[in-house]
Amino acid sequence: MAEVRHKGLNTPSSDNGQQSTSAQDFDGQKRAEKWFQIIIMVFGVVGFIWGYICQQFSQTMYILIAGFVISCFLTLPPWPVYRRKPLKWLKVKQEPESDSTNNATPSSGSSHKRRGK
């Protein structure tokens, strides 16, 4: 059976046995989510304070949007800091080839007995 390979996923490679590390691992996803929330909260608080001082809600929104863009840039790409603990994949097992006579299915219910109460 041919192995299906998806570009950009952390899946085992069939040619040299090494892994593609272009995706974040689970620990990296957790750290990215934590940083995303921290950056949004900090920019939200700073934006609220600055908007209150200036009495301009638009200033609050500009600062919050800037924080969103910065946090997306820092957390969405799979930076190396988010790929420190890659998954250990099991090696692919080769299934033995079987002839078509062994793949016969039992007839409809004749080999199964029902239990009565």
Side-chain angles (χ1 to χ4, degrees):
M1 177 177 220
E3 180 179 342
V4 178
R5 298 173 77 191
H6 298 283
K7 186 175 183 180
L9 295 178
N10 192 8
T11 56
S13 173
S14 62
D15 44 41
N16 61 4
Q18 293 185 1
Q19 295 179 5
S20 168
T21 56
S22 61
Q24 294 180 355
D25 55 39
F26 291 122
D27 188 56
Q29 290 175 1
K30 181 180 176 182
R31 279 187 269 132
E33 177 67 24
K34 182 179 177 183
W35 279 108
F36 186 83
Q37 291 176 357
I38 289 171
I39 293 169
I40 292 294
M41 290 299 295
V42 167
F43 274 79
V45 169
V46 169
F48 178 78
I49 292 170
W50 180 251
Y52 184 78
I53 290 171
C54 296
Q55 293 295 305
Q56 291 273 325
F57 184 69
S58 63
Q59 294 295 314
T60 300
M61 291 307 298
Y62 292 146
I63 293 173
L64 188 58
I65 291 170
F68 176 76
V69 170
I70 290 170
S71 64
C72 285
F73 177 73
L74 293 176
T75 61
L76 290 180
W79 299 109
V81 70
Y82 302 127
R83 296 182 285 152
R84 291 184 179 169
K85 298 177 184 175
L87 292 175
K88 304 288 189 247
W89 292 91
L90 296 176
K91 297 205 182 239
V92 178
K93 290 184 179 179
Q94 298 296 331
E95 294 184 17
E97 301 266 338
S98 63
D99 43 276
S100 61
T101 58
N102 292 341
N103 293 334
T105 59
S107 60
S108 60
S110 63
S111 63
H112 300 289
K113 293 183 179 180
R114 290 184 159 177
R115 288 187 179 177
K117 289 186 177 181

